[in-house]
Amino acid sequence: MAQIVEITDTDDPRLADYRDLRDVQLRKNLEAEHGLFLAEGEKVVRRAVEAGFTARSFLMAPRWLDGLADVLDRSEAPCFVLAEKLAEEVTGFHVHRGSLASLERRPLPTVESVLAGARSVLVLEDIVDHTNVGAIFRSGAALGFDAVLLAPRCADPLYRRSIKVGMGAVFTMPWTRLPDWTNALPDLTAAGFTTVALTLADDAVAIEEAVAGLDRVALVLGSEGHGLSKRWEEAADRRAVIPMREGIDSLNVAAATAVACYITARR
Amino acid sequence: MAQIVEITDTDDPRLADYRDLRDVQLRKNLEAEHGLFLAEGEKVVRRAVEAGFTARSFLMAPRWLDGLADVLDRSEAPCFVLAEKLAEEVTGFHVHRGSLASLERRPLPTVESVLAGARSVLVLEDIVDHTNVGAIFRSGAALGFDAVLLAPRCADPLYRRSIKVGMGAVFTMPWTRLPDWTNALPDLTAAGFTTVALTLADDAVAIEEAVAGLDRVALVLGSEGHGLSKRWEEAADRRAVIPMREGIDSLNVAAATAVACYITARR
C-alpha cells in the first residue's frame, strides 16, 4: 500500500519529478535522464497503473485521495499529498483533477514484436505536436488499429500532454520507435505490409481505393506543417488522399488520421 | 492603404485591442463589449480580410510587414509595428508568425438564412473547448458540410484560438447561434432536416445506417465531457454511433466529427 506523505514545503526534494511541468525542454531532459513519465488526472493515472507501469510516486491534493484509493492500495510507491495551491507552485500549472503520478518508462520493444500479429499499423513520421500524437493514438485505438511506429523525430507519446489527450491509449496500444528512418518503409514492405502514404501528391488516389482489399496495411502520416519527407512519400507503395471539398486541401492531421483509420479498418 | 504606425511604448492606448490575450475571461468581455475579434498569423489574417471582415487595426513585428503588404494595401486601418519582444509584452504570449489583426464582428445571420440551400449541417450543443470548435469548423468545411449552428452555450468560433485551429474556416462557413435551445431540434425537423444525434445511447445505430439515403441532414454533437443533454438526445430524429473497437467507447469530439462528417457527406 502506498505510504501517504504530507508535504508542506514546495522545495521538498522528493517532489523533483513534478517540477516545472510547463517547460517542455526541461521536462524532456529530466524525463529522459531519469527514465520516467508523468500521468495526469484520475482516469489516466489509474489506466497507467492498470496497464502495469510501475509508479515512482504519486502527487495529489487531499480531495483526490479517495478517488484513487484502490490504485494507491495496490502500489508500493509513496503518495505525496499537498494543498492544491502548493501543487500548482511546484508544477507551474493547474493540475487537472488534482492528481499526478510519476511512472517508470520501460525499454521500447523491437519493431518485429510490435508488428507481430498486427494487421493495421500507423506510422508517424515527424508529428511534432504532443496533442496530435495523443489524438492519433486515441483514434487509432478506438478505430481498430493494432500498433503505432514512430520515426526518430516524432514527438514523445509518453509526454504528459500526449498521454492526457490520448486518454491513456498509449498504455495499451503496442508502439515503438523505428531505429532507421532511411529504410523504414521498404522494411515494412519487406515485412508484408502495404505502405499507404497520406499525401496530396499528384498520383495520390482516394483512400478507399488505395486500401481496398489489402491484408496488412501501414498507414503513413507526415508532419503537421510540411507533410511527409520526399523520401518517405516516394518510398511508400501507394499514395492516398482523403477526398475534400473543391478549393480546400487540408485537414488537421488528427482529423485526417481519424477518417483514414476509419476507412482503412473497413477495407 | 493602411497607415504604418511605429510603436515603442507598450502602454500605448492604441494597443488596447491586443492586451492580455491569454486571459480568456477578460478577452471574452473585451471582445463582446467592443464587437471585435482577433486573427493571428499571416494566413489567417489574410483570410479574414479576404472574407470581407473590416479590420480595426493590425499589429505586427517589422519582419511580417512584407508578407502582408498586399493585405495592408487594401485596408484603411492603421498597422501598429513594434518589436517582437514588445508585442509579446502587450499580448502576454508568443505571437504566432508575428502578426495579429483586430477585426469587427458582424451581426449574426438568422437561422433561416444560414440553412437556406444547405444540405448538410452541423449542430453543436455545448462544445466548450475553443480548439475543438475550430477543429470542427475546419473538418466540416473540408469534408463537405454547408453550415454550422451553435447552441447558446457553445464556445465562440471567433475566439482567436478557434479561428487559428480552424485555419479561418469560420470566415467562409455560414454559421449562427440558435436563439432557442429548447426547441432547436424540433425546429430543424420542421425545416426539413433529419436530425441525427451522435451518442452512445442504447438505441443508437451505426452512423452509415443512420444517414443512408437522407436528403437534408443535421448532425448533432454534444459536449466533450458529458455528451448531449437528455433533451437534445431524445429530441433528435435518430441516434447514431461511430462503431468502435470492443471495450473502447469514446473518440475525441473533433475526431468523431471528422469521421461522422466524412460518412454523412457520402450518404
Side-chain angles (χ1 to χ4, degrees), chain B:
Chain B
M1 196 190 143
Q3 194 197 342
I4 308 295
V5 183
E6 285 187 37
I7 306 257
T8 51
D9 175 7
T10 55
D11 288 331
D12 193 309
R14 291 171 295 184
L15 302 182
D17 286 3
Y18 301 97
R19 293 200 190 285
D20 303 317
L21 297 189
R22 292 183 69 160
D23 187 333
V24 177
Q25 200 49 55
L26 182 146
R27 291 300 310 180
K28 277 190 194 165
N29 296 342
L30 183 143
E31 297 188 8
E33 198 169 312
H34 295 280
L36 64 87
F37 69 95
L38 285 199
E40 178 188 2
E42 180 187 335
K43 207 177 266 189
V44 168
V45 167
R46 168 170 285 110
R47 286 181 183 173
V49 173
E50 282 175 353
F53 286 92
T54 303
R56 291 159 58 97
S57 66
F58 301 88
L59 178 150
M60 62 189 75
R63 67 191 176 100
W64 286 100
L65 273 171
D66 285 352
L68 280 164
D70 58 314
V71 173
L72 298 176
D73 269 356
R74 282 175 286 139
S75 175
E76 295 306 310
C79 177
F80 305 123
V81 177
L82 67 175
E84 252 162 288
K85 231 188 155 68
L86 297 183
E88 288 189 31
E89 265 180 54
V90 173
T91 61
F93 81 120
H94 176 70
V95 179
H96 182 68
R97 317 210 106 186
S99 50
L100 287 163
S102 172
L103 302 115
E104 284 171 19
R105 288 179 187 246
R106 299 171 183 157
L108 289 178
T110 61
V111 174
E112 291 66 34
S113 70
V114 166
L115 292 180
R119 191 171 167 262
S120 304
V121 176
L122 282 165
V123 189
L124 313 186
E125 196 180 18
D126 296 339
I127 310 281
V128 296
D129 183 289
H130 290 112
T131 300
N132 285 334
V133 170
I136 290 170
F137 266 82
R138 185 174 176 191
S139 291
L143 296 172
F145 270 63
D146 307 308
V148 181
L149 298 174
L150 309 176
R153 289 186 301 189
C154 185
D156 179 12
L158 283 179
Y159 192 75
R160 177 177 56 90
R161 177 97 192 126
S162 312
I163 297 174
K164 187 176 161 188
V165 171
M167 294 293 283
V170 66
F171 302 144
T172 47
M173 175 78 109
W175 68 275
T176 196
R177 288 266 172 202
L178 291 159
D180 173 21
W181 171 79
T182 316
N183 294 310
L185 298 199
D187 287 352
L188 276 164
T189 304
F193 287 83
T194 302
T195 54
V196 178
L198 225 55
T199 160
L200 300 170
D202 289 338
D203 64 345
V205 299
I207 175 83
E208 284 91 344
E209 190 186 325
V211 300
L214 292 180
D215 181 21
R216 304 181 92 186
V217 172
L219 202 59
V220 184
L221 303 162
S223 159
E224 294 92 345
H226 50 77
L228 283 167
S229 66
K230 206 82 196 146
R231 183 176 192 104
W232 275 35
E233 183 169 274
E234 288 170 359
D237 297 315
R238 303 182 182 186
R239 278 152 291 285
V241 69
I242 296 173
M244 277 174 261
R245 184 195 293 259
E246 189 74 25
I248 294 186
D249 69 356
S250 87
L251 274 168
N252 163 279
V253 68
T257 305
V259 173
C261 284
Y262 187 82
I263 294 164
T264 304
R266 271 149 202 77
R267 66 187 178 272

